[in-house]
Amino acid sequence: MRIALTQSEGRLAGLQERLEAMGLEVVRQPLIQTQVLQADLKPLSDCRWWLFTSVVAVRALLALGGSLKGRSLGAVGQATRQALEEAGGRVDLVSPDETAEGLAEAFLAQRPFGFVGLPQGNRARPVLAQRLREAGYVVQSVVVYQTQTLPWPTDLPAPDLVLLTSPSGVEALPESVGGQARLLALGPTTAAALSERGLPYTLVPGPSVEAVLETIARIRGEQCPA
């Protein structure tokens, strides 16, 4: 069985080796790439809170010279939380369900004081900013990186499985591949993007290597190795 991994480098670290240990042939074919933009961070300077929806946003802000010192921080997912903490930040909120909607709910449940800054990508969904503004918060959004789709190579062997980790990756997936392979959707927003294209999928229940391995093991009717 051949699986194509479409996530960017650094995400789901160790997955390829674990899949190969399960006997799968792994093809690495990222469908998106990100680029830091020369953004002006001044709109974020008066914001007590900075909320991050991805590791890429954290890295981009740091690359632009942003400092996490003295900020209250929120993160979508444990990987984003880890990136913030490794950079010396103090994370006060983490979305319980790994979504921007979950982070908005967690934030509004506490009703903290202060303006909110959102360092984000050019394809960021507006839901987080909208929810906070509707609740009366002043929100400053700054686009610190852009996401670009990459073409699928015509000479790539046809995969049996394709792991998709973002709506942008779904957008870049060719119809010919999506209609033939079994698609694994990492997270509800990726699943929603596949539904919009009318492509069937299997939802990976969590954004972790273990969740991907367990999903594939179920598909193969096997017990996931420790």
Side-chain angles (χ1 to χ4, degrees):
M1 181 176 284
R2 180 182 297 121
I3 181 171
L5 302 182
T6 66
Q7 75 273 18
S8 56
E9 291 292 341
R11 190 171 185 188
L12 298 173
L15 177 60
Q16 179 170 342
E17 293 78 9
R18 296 287 299 277
L19 291 171
E20 290 172 344
M22 291 174 67
L24 276 72
E25 178 185 349
V26 179
V27 177
R28 287 281 301 137
Q29 182 50 50
L31 289 178
I32 63 171
Q33 65 181 7
T34 58
Q35 179 182 11
V36 178
L37 299 175
Q38 294 304 309
D40 182 2
L41 300 182
K42 289 181 181 178
L44 302 178
S45 60
D46 291 332
C47 297
R48 177 182 178 184
W49 281 87
W50 285 357
L51 304 182
F52 294 83
T53 58
S54 70
V55 173
V56 179
V58 177
R59 293 173 177 169
L61 180 129
L62 295 174
L64 291 169
S67 173
L68 303 176
K69 185 177 180 179
R71 307 290 176 182
S72 296
L73 305 174
V76 169
Q78 294 301 324
T80 306
R81 175 180 189 165
Q82 182 178 347
L84 288 167
E85 290 178 341
E86 288 176 352
R90 185 194 74 234
V91 179
D92 299 275
L93 287 173
V94 180
S95 59
D97 61 354
E98 308 280 349
T99 67
E101 290 89 343
L103 183 57
E105 292 295 334
F107 185 89
L108 295 176
Q110 292 193 13
R111 298 295 302 183
F113 172 79
F115 295 172
V116 181
L118 302 181
Q120 57 189 11
N122 64 318
R123 294 177 178 233
R125 296 164 59 232
V127 59
L128 180 56
Q130 287 178 350
R131 290 292 305 279
L132 298 183
R133 287 180 178 132
E134 289 170 358
Y137 282 92
V138 174
V139 179
Q140 298 287 353
S141 300
V142 175
V143 177
V144 294
Y145 72 92
Q146 67 178 358
T147 300
Q148 300 171 319
T149 59
L150 298 172
W152 188 278
T154 57
D155 59 348
L156 191 70
D160 303 292
L161 303 170
V162 179
L163 177 64
L164 296 154
T165 62
S166 70
S168 297
V170 173
E171 177 186 330
L173 183 71
E175 197 73 31
S176 57
V177 177
Q180 296 180 10
R182 185 159 184 170
L183 308 179
L184 308 181
L186 192 76
T189 57
T190 303
L194 286 167
S195 293
E196 289 177 2
R197 287 192 58 180
L199 294 171
Y201 61 88
T202 298
L203 179 64
V204 179
S208 67
V209 170
E210 292 300 332
V212 175
L213 296 175
E214 290 170 4
T215 301
I216 294 173
R218 285 198 302 272
I219 290 172
R220 300 173 75 188
E222 302 173 1
Q223 183 176 358
C224 184

